[in-house]
Amino acid sequence: MATKIRLQRGGRKGYAVYRIVIADVRAPRDGRFTEKIGTYNPNTNPATVDLNFDRALYWVETGAQPTDTVRNILKGEGVYLMKHLKGGVKKGAFDEETAQKKFDAWKEAKEKGFDSVRDAEAKAKKDAAAARLKEEKKQSEEIAKKVAEKKAAAEAAAAPAEEPAEAPAEETAEAPATEATEAPAAE
């Protein structure tokens, strides 16, 4: 029986999550499968892969053909590197312990790369948040300055308006007095 290592779709609309399965080449994508060896979630950054490494290595060594996406996933997880190293052990190029050391060194370097990417992304988010906060403070200061100018203008407009309001009151008070003094003179 010819087998394939392929992805089987799951999840909801717009948020696909895949199972990595071993299936017969004639089976449909979401149909019957022989064994589930992991999951793949491309929606996270970086994509999340949960893989049963030993079973994946077994199936690759027995000749199961992966699809292109699954091949990239298996390469990223080191399944093909381990297959290559085990081939070197079988040929006598080095022993099992050396092969495991090489694989561990590769895995550690890969984890450091992921950590640096995560750190850079976190720093970029922090810097962007600081820049937004700075811009927000600048806008707040500008708005506060405009409000202060409007208040000052309103106070300036209100102060001269109050003085002329008092002045006509005095003039009106004086005007009847002059009229009163003039009126008896007219008699």
Side-chain angles (χ1 to χ4, degrees), residues 40-49 113-115 117-118 121:
Y40 169 61
N41 184 358
N43 301 305
T44 60
N45 186 13
T48 307
V49 177
F114 278 145
D115 290 342
V117 168
R118 286 186 199 113
E121 189 174 303

Side-chain angles (χ1 to χ4, degrees), residues 47-68:
T48 307
V49 177
D50 180 29
L51 184 69
N52 184 340
F53 188 84
D54 295 330
R55 291 305 294 169
L57 182 62
Y58 166 78
W59 282 104
V60 167
E61 286 178 339
T62 56
Q65 294 298 311
T67 60
D68 294 337

